[in-house]
Every structure is written in C-alpha cells, then in structure tokens.
Amino acid sequence: MDIILSSRGKNKIAYKGYIYRKDKDTQTTISWRCEVKGCKGRLSTTLEYESDRNCSEKGEHSHAPDVVKVGEEIVKKKVLKAAATTHDPPRRLLEDAIAGLSDELAAKIGSGAKLKSSISRKRRIMGNYVTSLNLTSLK
Ligand SMILES: [Zn+2]
C-alpha cells in the first residue's frame, strides 16, 4: 500500500493497482472508496494507516486494476514534491522516485518526458517561495 497526496492535501492511497480516496472514519477504521466514479470497490484500514499497512478490500471494482497508472501517479507526486524542495536536475529526481518500483513499471515510467516538463513548470511557479512552502498544499 502506498500513500499519495491528493491535490487538496488529503490523502489518497494506492493498493494493488487501484487508487482510493478517503471516504469516512469511524472510531477504529477508515473506509476508502475507489476513485473511479460509480465503482463499488472499497478499502478499509486502521486509523494508523500511515504506519500500519494492514487493510482489507471490500466490494467489487467495475474495472481492471492499472498498476502503471497508479505507479505514475505515485512517481509524479514524489517528483513534484522533491522538485519544490531540492535543486537536483529533473532526471535525477525521476530516477530517485522510480527507485524501488518493479523493473517493468520503472521502464514504462522511466522516460518521463512529460514529468520533466512538469518539474520545470513547477519550479517556475514556485519561484523564490520554495523554502516557505507548505508541502501539504502541493498540487
Ligand atoms: Zn474501482
């Protein structure tokens, strides 16, 4: 299970090729819903999901898992976050972000031309405000 930050600073999690967004909390668990509209796929985690990676799947997805798409999303978040806080060249950021992915996934994401231009764009937008950036507000 990987945790990725959504655009509004709320967590999304990726699990087995699906992406879930937070649905509701109870006293002991958090329930997450698949981000595909109309899909009935659900995931249930404990409140400490960031450290306790136990989770259980519920419901049926109306679509196939997409490990590559999910992998790309995770890499993109990592890269853009690093782009805002370091001065490493885009290629280096990309390499760091895909380290740890499966070889197949890394090969598919590896060229990352689109990502590299997002990094440059991100840095232009950030300008001199990088150091005062609140990471949770990253888009
Ligand atoms: Zn689904």
Side-chain angles (χ1 to χ4, degrees), residues 6 24 30 36 58 63 65 67 70 84 87 115 120:
S6 80
K24 47 188 178 253
I30 301 174
V36 173
K58 293 175 183 166
H63 54 101
V67 174
V70 169
H87 294 284
L115 264 176
S120 315

Short mmCIF file of all heavy atoms in Angstrom, two decimals, residues 6 24 30 36 58 63 65 67 70 84 87 115 120:
data_model
loop_
_atom_site.label_atom_id
_atom_site.label_comp_id
_atom_site.label_asym_id
_atom_site.label_seq_id
_atom_site.Cartn_x
_atom_site.Cartn_y
_atom_site.Cartn_z
N SER A 6 -3.34 13.74 -2.38
CA SER A 6 -4.22 14.23 -3.44
C SER A 6 -4.02 15.73 -3.61
O SER A 6 -3.34 16.37 -2.83
CB SER A 6 -5.67 13.94 -3.11
OG SER A 6 -6.14 14.90 -2.21
N LYS A 24 -14.93 7.76 4.82
CA LYS A 24 -15.30 8.17 6.17
C LYS A 24 -14.50 7.45 7.25
O LYS A 24 -13.99 6.36 7.02
CB LYS A 24 -16.80 8.01 6.40
CG LYS A 24 -17.34 6.68 5.95
CD LYS A 24 -18.87 6.69 6.03
CE LYS A 24 -19.44 5.38 5.53
NZ LYS A 24 -20.10 5.44 4.24
N ILE A 30 -10.83 3.46 8.97
CA ILE A 30 -11.14 4.46 7.95
C ILE A 30 -11.60 3.70 6.73
O ILE A 30 -11.01 2.69 6.36
CB ILE A 30 -9.90 5.30 7.58
CG1 ILE A 30 -9.36 6.01 8.80
CG2 ILE A 30 -10.25 6.32 6.48
CD1 ILE A 30 -8.06 6.75 8.53
N VAL A 36 -12.57 5.77 -8.97
CA VAL A 36 -13.32 5.69 -10.22
C VAL A 36 -14.81 5.88 -9.94
O VAL A 36 -15.38 5.22 -9.07
CB VAL A 36 -13.08 4.34 -10.92
CG1 VAL A 36 -13.99 4.18 -12.14
CG2 VAL A 36 -11.62 4.20 -11.33
N LYS A 58 -13.04 -4.51 0.15
CA LYS A 58 -14.47 -4.84 0.16
C LYS A 58 -15.07 -4.42 -1.17
O LYS A 58 -14.59 -3.47 -1.78
CB LYS A 58 -15.19 -4.04 1.26
CG LYS A 58 -14.80 -4.43 2.66
CD LYS A 58 -15.47 -3.50 3.66
CE LYS A 58 -15.04 -3.83 5.08
NZ LYS A 58 -15.40 -2.75 6.01
N HIS A 63 -13.85 -2.25 -12.85
CA HIS A 63 -12.80 -2.06 -13.86
C HIS A 63 -11.56 -2.84 -13.43
O HIS A 63 -11.47 -3.25 -12.28
CB HIS A 63 -12.47 -0.57 -13.96
CG HIS A 63 -12.12 0.02 -12.62
ND1 HIS A 63 -10.84 0.25 -12.22
CD2 HIS A 63 -12.91 0.36 -11.56
CE1 HIS A 63 -10.85 0.73 -10.98
NE2 HIS A 63 -12.09 0.80 -10.55
N PRO A 65 -7.56 -3.37 -12.46
CA PRO A 65 -6.53 -2.55 -11.82
C PRO A 65 -5.55 -2.02 -12.85
O PRO A 65 -5.36 -2.64 -13.89
CB PRO A 65 -5.85 -3.52 -10.86
CG PRO A 65 -6.13 -4.87 -11.41
CD PRO A 65 -7.45 -4.78 -12.11
N VAL A 67 -1.84 -0.91 -12.66
CA VAL A 67 -0.64 -0.73 -11.86
C VAL A 67 0.25 0.39 -12.43
O VAL A 67 0.83 1.17 -11.68
CB VAL A 67 0.14 -2.06 -11.76
CG1 VAL A 67 1.46 -1.86 -11.04
CG2 VAL A 67 -0.70 -3.09 -11.01
N VAL A 70 -1.27 3.87 -11.63
CA VAL A 70 -1.09 4.13 -10.21
C VAL A 70 0.37 4.45 -9.91
O VAL A 70 0.69 5.39 -9.19
CB VAL A 70 -1.60 2.93 -9.38
CG1 VAL A 70 -1.18 3.06 -7.93
CG2 VAL A 70 -3.10 2.83 -9.49
N ALA A 84 10.18 20.78 -5.56
CA ALA A 84 9.92 22.02 -4.83
C ALA A 84 10.92 22.23 -3.70
O ALA A 84 11.08 23.34 -3.21
CB ALA A 84 8.51 22.00 -4.29
N HIS A 87 17.31 21.16 -5.50
CA HIS A 87 17.73 21.74 -6.77
C HIS A 87 18.32 20.68 -7.69
O HIS A 87 19.05 20.99 -8.62
CB HIS A 87 18.72 22.88 -6.53
CG HIS A 87 18.09 24.03 -5.82
ND1 HIS A 87 17.26 24.93 -6.45
CD2 HIS A 87 18.13 24.40 -4.53
CE1 HIS A 87 16.82 25.80 -5.56
NE2 HIS A 87 17.33 25.51 -4.38
N LEU A 115 6.87 14.35 -17.33
CA LEU A 115 7.19 14.68 -15.94
C LEU A 115 8.26 15.75 -15.85
O LEU A 115 8.19 16.65 -15.04
CB LEU A 115 7.66 13.44 -15.20
CG LEU A 115 6.60 12.71 -14.40
CD1 LEU A 115 7.20 11.45 -13.81
CD2 LEU A 115 6.06 13.60 -13.31
N SER A 120 9.92 21.48 -14.43
CA SER A 120 10.34 22.84 -14.76
C SER A 120 9.23 23.83 -14.50
O SER A 120 9.46 24.92 -13.98
CB SER A 120 10.73 22.94 -16.24
OG SER A 120 11.52 21.85 -16.60
#
